[in-house]
Structure formats: C-alpha cells, structure tokens
Amino acid sequence: MQPTTVHWHGLRIANAMDGVPDLTQPPILPGETFTYAFTVPDAGTYWYHPHTQSSQQIGHGLYGPFIIEEANPPRVDRDVLWVMDDWRLTEEAAISPTFSHPHDLSHAGRLGNVATLNGRDSGEFPVRAGERVRLRLINAANARIFGLEFEGHRPLLIARDGQPIEAHNPVDPIVLGPGQRADLIVDMEGDPGETYPVIDSYYQRQTYKYLDLVYSTERPLRNSPPDATPALAPNPLPEPDLESARRHSVTIDGGAMGSLRSARYRGEDLTIRELAQQGKMWALNGVVAHSMAMEPLLNLELGRSHVLLFRNETAWPHPMHLHGHAFRILTRNGRREPYRPWADTVMLEPHEIAEVALVADNPGDWLLHCHVLEHHEAGMACVVRVA
C-alpha cells in the first residue's frame, strides 16, 4: 500500500486543491481521506491522476478523464472519449515490475509494448457512414508520444489541452505527448462496410496501426457533412500583454547523449556520475529536483504577464507541464506558432526552443515538470512561485 494524492491535470483551481504531495498538501496515507472541493473555471477535456510515485501508480492505471461540458457544445452525433495508453507487459500479460529502470530514467521513459484505447485492445472503433463524431483524446501514457494520422479522413482540431483553438484541419499528424489532450471533429465520410486505419507514426522506425475505423454496413446517416463549422466558445483566460511581460528562461539538460557534466542537487554540486548514482539524470537551469517541495526556480509576480523561454538542450523530447495555469504557445525556434494555441503542456522536441506567455493570476507554489514520468522522477521538475 502506498500514499497518494489526486492532481486535476489542466484545471486552473486553487493551489490547495492541486494535489502535489508536500507542496500543496500532505500525502494521503493508506486508510486516510482527503476532500477535494473546487470551482472549475474552464470547459474542456481534462484528466486526473496521482502525483505520488506517479510512474508506478499511473503505470498501473490509477487515473481517469475529467470532462467539463460547454454551455453550448458543438452539434455532433456522438461525443466519444479516447484515453490512449501503452503498457509494458510480460509474456504472462502482467504489468512488468521494471519501474524506475536506469535506461528509462535516462532515455525516452517507460515505453510499453501494448497500446490500448480506454484500457482495452485498440484494435477497432466502430463508426457509421455520414455521422459526425467528437473525439476527445487524452494521452495517459507514462512516456509514449502518439502521432495519429486518420487515413481517408480530415479531422478538424477544435481544442488543445481543453482550451478552444481556431478550428482547422492539421497538416501533420496530431501529436500528443504524455498528459496532453486534443478535441477533434471527424466526419465519417467513408463507405459502409469499409475499414480505414488510424496510424501512430510519431516514432519513425516504429510506425504501427493504432486502430481501424470500421464502418458498419448501415446506410449513411446523411449524404454530406453538416454545413455548420463546429467551434467552441473561448474560456475566460486573461490575455498576456507581451509588451510589458517579464521574461524568464528554463533550460533543460541531461539524459543519455546529453552535455550535462554537473548540476546542483540538494544544495551540492555533483557530477553527472554522482547524480546517476542517486537515480538523477536531468536538470532545469542546472538544478536537479529532489522532491516536490523545493525553493522556487522561477518567481512570477502575481497579476503580471510573463514569457517563459524553454530550451531543450537534450537528445530527447519533453512535454513540459505547468500546474495551475494555461499559457499561449507563441513561437518555436523563433517562428510564430500557428494559431498560438492555449495549453498547459508544451512539447519540446530535441534541441527545440519554444516561447509561451501567461498571466500569473493564480497564487501559490506550482509544479513545472516533464510529463514523461520517468524524467520527472529523475530530476526534471521545479517550483514556480506566483506571489
């Protein structure tokens, strides 16, 4: 039996309800209870999960979706949830006990060998010709990044990380790192009785069929898609003032094939070899996380606009998640990010630079960390103080 907490991923709620052990609340010990009570400000697709021994607890399936409905949702024939995950299973189909393996801590994280949809085999998803489906995608995997291609279909992206975005058809695969979400509208324009694959192509050498859209033999629900373009009303997020914004930098370093030679851990400067002996492989601004409760790495003045510049100096991708806030993604590698989406997690590819902007309007000490859970465990986390 283990202590646990519940983190409400993506929700801009009061700090005391954020579910981070020792930072916002004591861990909930076996047999004890803790009551979470909060008001939700934003509609959208969110989820909840523990923040104590996260890689093991989430890796065993301790999580769930959290859907906040819009006052005027888009008209669809079905509103469907896809919780995507992968599992590292033994030959006996049991969850492999190899959590916190040094290779996972220093490389891509705990990648599984079986992908699932809503906890089951992701083999088939039944559809009907002519129907309009809203797909709410949640990546609940420890480390796997999904990059979905809907062959024969034109998904319309209407939200990222719960926040509405200008509706558009993505040119590239829909990429979701751990913790990220996306809302799609998919018009089922295939023929009755046909089958169309959904391909996960993120890992170029490991492309595979995630599932099949399997059309029933029923006659089409309608002969052409509805005329109305689905759109979501914006959530009440304060717009950052970029001219007056204060600027901060977060540099990610470490991991296999990285350039990190030493970093600060528990107040001492340790070599990378000494860090590895402690199970630590990653640093933010030269500091390795030792717990959830730490002195803040960043201090954001309450009520002001701030720009965070993330630099990924490593050979691995990192979905960086900020608790308690949403931010606009402004640029990548100096180029304007299309649609400047709101998000709570920004995916950084190896050696990529991204700028995000936010208004620090939610006071408290908030966690900022990589949502590849093994990277977080191995030191890639810090505290952001809003005061």
Side-chain angles (χ1 to χ4, degrees):
M1 300 180 72
Q2 299 178 352
T4 195
T5 61
V6 181
H7 169 57
W8 309 92
H9 185 115
L11 296 185
R12 300 185 300 128
I13 57 178
N15 184 260
M17 297 291 106
D18 194 49
V20 179
D22 301 319
L23 184 65
T24 68
Q25 69 171 94
I28 307 168
L29 300 179
E32 292 186 347
T33 62
F34 183 92
T35 300
Y36 292 93
F38 49 82
T39 300
V40 291
D42 304 323
T45 302
Y46 306 93
W47 66 305
Y48 60 89
H49 61 78
H51 241 296
T52 302
Q53 295 182 272
S54 300
S55 63
Q56 290 191 38
Q57 293 188 14
I58 295 176
H60 281 89
L62 187 58
Y63 58 76
F66 194 92
I67 307 302
I68 305 169
E69 296 180 347
E70 298 91 3
N72 296 294
R75 292 185 178 181
V76 296
D77 299 301
R78 282 195 291 162
D79 189 324
V80 178
L81 180 68
W82 283 12
V83 180
M84 303 181 297
D85 202 347
D86 73 342
W87 309 81
R88 184 177 294 179
L89 302 182
T90 66
E91 292 182 357
E92 292 76 28
I95 294 176
S96 171
T98 57
F99 288 93
S100 303
H101 191 281
H103 185 276
D104 296 336
L105 297 178
S106 61
H107 288 68
R110 182 184 167 93
L111 297 175
N113 50 19
V114 175
T116 57
L117 171 65
N118 297 336
R120 298 177 180 272
D121 180 16
S122 61
E124 295 183 353
F125 181 74
V127 300
R128 181 179 177 182
E131 70 172 334
R132 171 168 282 184
V133 179
R134 178 178 184 171
L135 293 180
R136 300 176 183 263
L137 311 182
I138 300 175
N139 182 354
N142 275 34
R144 179 169 295 279
I145 300 166
F146 290 89
L148 299 187
E149 300 180 38
F150 290 73
E151 293 196 0
H153 295 76
R154 298 174 296 164
L156 190 72
L157 181 64
I158 61 170
R160 295 291 310 228
D161 285 0
Q163 303 298 338
I165 189 173
E166 181 181 341
H168 64 280
N169 299 109
V171 176
D172 300 317
I174 297 163
V175 174
L176 291 178
Q180 292 188 299
R181 292 90 63 212
D183 287 48
L184 310 175
I185 299 292
V186 184
D187 288 314
M188 299 302 169
E189 300 178 301
D191 296 323
E194 293 295 316
T195 297
Y196 297 84
V198 176
I199 304 298
D200 179 5
S201 61
Y202 180 79
Y203 302 97
Q204 294 181 359
R205 297 181 180 180
Q206 300 176 27
T207 295
Y208 69 100
K209 182 172 66 177
Y210 178 63
L211 56 74
D212 282 319
L213 300 178
V214 179
Y215 278 72
S216 73
T217 56
E218 299 172 275
R219 64 182 181 85
L221 189 63
R222 56 180 64 88
N223 293 324
S224 61
D227 292 332
T229 300
L232 300 175
N235 286 321
L237 291 162
E239 190 67 44
D241 180 358
L242 299 182
E243 290 188 3
S244 66
R246 293 185 175 176
R247 303 186 69 84
H248 314 263
S249 294
V250 179
T251 299
I252 305 165
D253 209 344
M257 297 178 284
S259 60
L260 185 66
R261 296 294 174 260
S262 65
R264 196 154 187 83
Y265 179 64
R266 294 185 179 273
E268 295 185 64
D269 292 324
L270 300 182
T271 66
I272 188 63
R273 182 183 296 273
E274 291 170 326
L275 290 168
Q277 291 171 349
Q278 302 283 340
K280 302 299 180 181
M281 314 286 183
W282 308 93
L284 298 177
N285 290 357
V287 179
V288 179
H290 60 80
S291 68
M292 303 290 183
M294 300 170 287
E295 286 299 310
L297 190 70
L298 301 179
N299 287 277
L300 307 186
E301 183 180 344
L302 180 64
R304 287 198 63 125
S305 296
H306 300 267
V307 172
L308 309 183
L309 176 69
F310 288 94
R311 295 180 181 273
N312 181 3
E313 301 288 352
T314 82
W316 307 94
H318 303 292
M320 298 302 296
H321 172 54
L322 176 62
H323 288 213
H325 294 78
F327 47 72
R328 277 203 184 277
I329 304 177
L330 302 178
T331 66
R332 290 183 185 275
N333 299 323
R335 296 182 179 179
R336 187 182 187 276
E337 178 76 353
Y339 306 99
R340 294 204 317 170
W342 288 102
D344 53 65
T345 304
V346 57
M347 171 64 73
L348 293 157
E349 296 295 336
H351 304 292
E352 188 171 42
I353 299 172
E355 285 182 304
V356 308
L358 73 153
V359 176
D361 62 344
N362 200 355
D365 283 0
W366 300 99
L367 199 62
L368 169 65
H369 66 99
C370 179
H371 222 280
V372 173
L373 301 178
E374 290 70 33
H375 293 176
H376 181 187
E377 180 181 341
M380 198 186 303
C382 69
V383 170
V384 176
R385 177 167 293 169
V386 175

